[in-house]
Amino acid sequence: MNSLRSFAAEKLAALESAALRRRLAETARAPAHQVTRNGQALISFSCNDYLGLSTHPAVVEAAIAALHTYGLGSGGSRLITGNHPLYAGLEARLARLKDTESAIVFGSGYLANVGIVPALAGVGDLVILDSLSHACLLAGAKLSGAEAVRFAHNDMEELEDILDRRRAGFGHCLILTEGVFSMDGDLAPLPELAALAERYDCWLMTDDAHALGVVGRGRGSSFAFGPKKLNVPLQMGTLSKSVGAYGGYLCADRAVIELLHNRARSFVYETGLPPAVVAGASAALDFIAENPSWIERAIGNAQRFARALDLPKAQSSIVPLILGDEALALKAMALLAEKGFLVVAVRPPTVPPGTARLRFAFSAAHEPGDIDALAEAVRMLVLPLRA
Ligand SMILES: *Cc1c(COP(=O)(O)O)cnc(C)c1O
């Protein structure tokens, strides 16, 4: 074997023996939550398509119409020829939903975060993040060259202590958090975060990947703490989850957005999204704005499941069941698959060591009967594993 192949084979063997190796499984989703995997029909509780919009007829039709009008690819970066006419409508919808002056759409949520953070912070600045923040927020912080410091999950005392001790030694300071945490489903304490950001002259950014279309009447975490929008000057998120499409976004003041047009490298040097994706995302955002009762169903289903198992009340559409050990989480996943449920085990490094889990993602499109049957299977097959 040559050294490259043996390098790869040894790394894989080490992952395998730690129950950490991952493998692709072909998964056909159609419609949204009925999936076929390894020839088996399963009901999925692992998709982030929280409103079932990826297969909604209005969304699919809008994408098809755009495909016929504009073709498949956008043909260039947005600053050259890739800024097709559908972008303006999508960005206007996002700004309206988030109540900001402006919005910018990126190729994905990951690309948004690795573009936004380095455009706003650099050497001599401070970036402070929640320790459970998504990998792409950390990647953005590292790319920026700013000093990156993490605080324990949702620990406002530790954040204040860091700000007290360190804020004065730096130029600008960004505070990064997720609005709804992707693997735990809990909300960030945004009123406290916004107050600390104001007191210490920091710029607060929320990653609302799992909050848009789910909390705050569908408008996201800034709207989840009462009728009034909280002061979060940088509201980032993705079009790949509840919106059922693909792409990332930031909603902010016009000057900030125009700076990003100039300085976010993952925007400047990247081809625009396919017009069909932009059209589908726009139709999905219209649906979100017009269907509040459908939005309520996603959290409602998560709460129904949590109630059935005496778990803490769900704050979003995500409910974690922590098993700790990686092999145990894989076993729990296999047991549920035998009963017709797809619930993918989540292992480190996606979650901290020792917290391997089943992550249940609920959708408005799930039926109450599906939820109850899942809860029963979990009670019979998975809870005993925890003892
Ligand atoms: C999924 C996710 C992203 C990445 O978004 P994509 O559009 O899938 O690239 C970013 N942040 C969080 C918290 C996520 O869960």
Side-chain angles (χ1 to χ4, degrees), residues 48 108-111 113 134 136-137 178 180 182 207 209-210 236 238-241 246-248:
N48 297 322
S108 73
Y110 198 110
L111 288 166
N113 280 336
H134 193 269
C136 60
L137 283 167
E178 294 186 25
V180 165
S182 59
D207 178 336
H210 302 273
M236 173 273 166
T238 169
L239 303 171
S240 325
K241 285 161 185 163
Y246 201 67

Side-chain angles (χ1 to χ4, degrees), residues 175-201:
I175 299 175
L176 310 179
T177 187
E178 294 186 25
V180 165
F181 282 84
S182 59
M183 295 299 138
D184 293 83
D186 54 337
L187 285 158
L190 282 187
E192 290 86 345
L193 279 160
L196 283 172
E198 192 165 323
R199 177 137 63 91
Y200 288 89
D201 184 23

Side-chain angles (χ1 to χ4, degrees), residues 208-285:
D208 257 3
H210 302 273
L212 180 74
V214 178
V215 303
R217 303 168 299 288
R219 304 178 78 182
S221 58
S222 311
F223 299 84
F225 294 84
K228 230 174 120 251
K229 184 178 80 161
L230 291 170
N231 182 18
V232 180
L234 300 161
Q235 300 179 75
M236 173 273 166
T238 169
L239 303 171
S240 325
K241 285 161 185 163
S242 67
V243 179
Y246 201 67
Y249 68 84
L250 176 72
C251 294
D253 288 345
R254 182 163 295 111
V256 173
I257 299 302
E258 289 181 6
L259 175 66
L260 292 176
H261 290 162
N262 289 272
R263 295 286 301 279
R265 296 173 68 84
S266 58
F267 178 87
V268 175
Y269 296 105
E270 190 210 27
T271 300
L273 281 168
V277 169
V278 175
S282 295
L285 287 171

